[in-house]
Each structure stands twice: as structure tokens, then as C-alpha cells.
Amino acid sequence: MTKRQLLMKRYIFPVALVLSLIVGSMSVQASEEGGLPPAGTNVHDQASLQRGARLYFNYCVGCHSLKYMRYERIAADLGLSEQEVMQNLNFTGAKFGETVVSHMPEASAEAWFGKAPPDLSLEVRAKGADWVNAYLNSFYLDPSRPVGWNNTVFPNASMPFPLWELQGLQTAEMKPAKPGEDPQVEKLVLSHPGKLTPAQFQQATRDLTSFLEYASEPAALERHAYGVWVLLFLAFFTLLAYMLKKEYWKDVH
């Protein structure tokens, strides 16, 4: 076996292993979110993040905390001043440097909903942006549930729908059930329109999901910016390594 063949054998296997791991992880993520429409989020759209923050602090923070996010960090990343954040986003009386914590006591939440509402800091990282966006669009009226609402993405959820006045009221049309089977939702129908049109509401939930995606990894804004410089460095280093290789091996060949 020649020296070139030995080098190819040495490096091809690690490269193939890395590629297989990347493809495998992408396949797992796709299977976990399979069947859900793409959310279309963009954490680099600052206007979308600002709109999503407004929705979160007006409709979600009453029950859900972001215990890993500080008002100060949100202001810096979203291009907002301290005054704008404290006047328009802070409804709990927290200080500018404190974390986002809901005012709802856990004991009261458990008594009202059966369990305390989860912290949303890592919700998108845990379930994916597609899942969260689909969940926000899939609430419907269900008188059989304790809170009067149900959800096709997360059936029998204990959460009431906080965005109903924006979307309106959806009702479910059920599939014909065979004897012994539970009825299944065939489709959701908007029976009473809300303040927003369906297209406007989809944009609103996309903005809210984008903000929660940002909250789950705020460092992504800086990391993506650094990525360009890292790729440039790798390209330069690859060129340098190739030139060194040619210099060192010129007598061998």
C-alpha cells in the first residue's frame, strides 16, 4: 500500500464518521418535529423579536417565567432602552438587572391548573420552534376540559388559551369514530374571528416563537456573528496548511 493510500485511509474514515453523525442528528430532529408546518422564525429579525417580546410580556408573563433572562439583556439584544423596557415590558415591578419571573405563586397555579405553568426559558430548545408555533395555533374550545380549551398538538393540555382575543375562537370538527375508538379532531374551524386576521395571527405567533427561540439561546445572536470570522480563519488556515504540506513533501514526491 502506497503512502498516499495510507493517508487517504487515515482521513477518509473520520470525515465519513463526522458526516454520518451530522446527517443522523438532522434526521432525528426532523423526525421529532415531523408533520408540523415550519415556523419560519428568524432570531436575526430584530423587529420580529421586539413584537414577540411585547406579546410575551402582555399575554404570557402572568403565568410563565423566563428565569434565565434578565430585562437588561433583553434591552441590549433587542435594541431597546432601559426606559422602554421598564415602561412597556416590565409588569412585575422587577429591577432592570433582575430576571423575568412571573407574579403567579406556584401554590395558586397548582390549585387552579393542576400543576404550575412551566418556565419558558428553554421551551423552544426542548421542543423546537415548529412545535411551539403549531401549539400556539392549535387551541380550540372544548367544554369537557376543566379550563374550557384543548389543543390538537398537545391534547388535554391544562393551559387556557391566552391569545384567544387575537385569534378568535376555534372549534373542532371531529372524524367519524368507529365503535370503541376515541373521537379524533379532523380540522379546526375559526367560528368567531378575533382582533387579527388569520394571516396577522400567524405572523404574531411567529414573532412570539422567535422571541422564545431567542430567549432559549440569546448567545446565538453573537455566535452566528462569530461564525463568519471562524469560517474565514479556517479557510486561511487550510490554505496555509496546504502550502506547508507542499513545502514539506516536495522532496518526497
Side-chain angles (χ1 to χ4, degrees), residues 8 10 31 39-40 55 67 114 122 129 142 172 181 189 209 216 241:
M8 290 179 63
R10 179 181 298 176
S31 64
L55 286 167
K67 63 183 180 181
L122 302 176
D142 186 353
E181 292 184 353
V189 178
T209 305
S216 68

Side-chain angles (χ1 to χ4, degrees), residues 130-206:
D130 294 347
W131 189 96
V132 172
N133 187 67
Y135 175 72
L136 292 172
N137 283 274
S138 300
F139 279 90
Y140 65 94
L141 290 172
D142 186 353
S144 67
R145 297 295 302 156
V147 295
W149 295 92
N150 210 330
N151 192 286
T152 57
V153 173
F154 187 21
N156 300 327
S158 300
M159 173 179 163
F161 186 33
L163 305 178
W164 67 268
E165 65 176 359
L166 300 181
Q167 183 187 35
L169 303 178
Q170 291 192 129
T171 54
E173 291 188 359
M174 311 303 289
K175 296 179 181 178
K178 297 180 180 179
E181 292 184 353
D182 294 330
Q184 300 292 324
V185 176
E186 184 172 15
K187 64 178 180 178
L188 299 179
V189 178
L190 185 62
S191 54
H192 295 283
K195 294 180 179 179
L196 303 180
T197 66
Q200 290 172 333
F201 182 74
Q202 289 179 2
Q203 180 61 54
T205 56
R206 186 177 301 115

Side-chain angles (χ1 to χ4, degrees), residues 16 34 39 47 66 69 86 112 133 150 173 179 183-184 202 221 241 245:
L66 291 175
M69 288 299 302
M86 299 304 284
W112 296 333
N133 187 67
N150 210 330
E173 291 188 359
Q184 300 292 324
Q202 289 179 2
L221 299 179
K245 179 260 181 187

Side-chain angles (χ1 to χ4, degrees), residues 74-126:
I74 293 173
D77 290 343
L78 272 59
L80 302 172
S81 67
E82 178 178 351
Q83 182 179 4
E84 288 173 327
V85 168
M86 299 304 284
Q87 288 183 354
N88 301 315
L89 301 182
N90 184 357
F91 305 122
T92 64
K95 296 180 180 179
F96 187 54
E98 292 181 339
T99 56
V100 180
V101 178
S102 169
H103 250 344
M104 180 180 291
E106 283 196 19
S108 299
E110 291 180 3
W112 296 333
F113 305 116
K115 63 182 297 185
D119 181 272
L120 298 184
S121 300
L122 302 176
E123 192 72 10
V124 171
R125 291 196 69 181

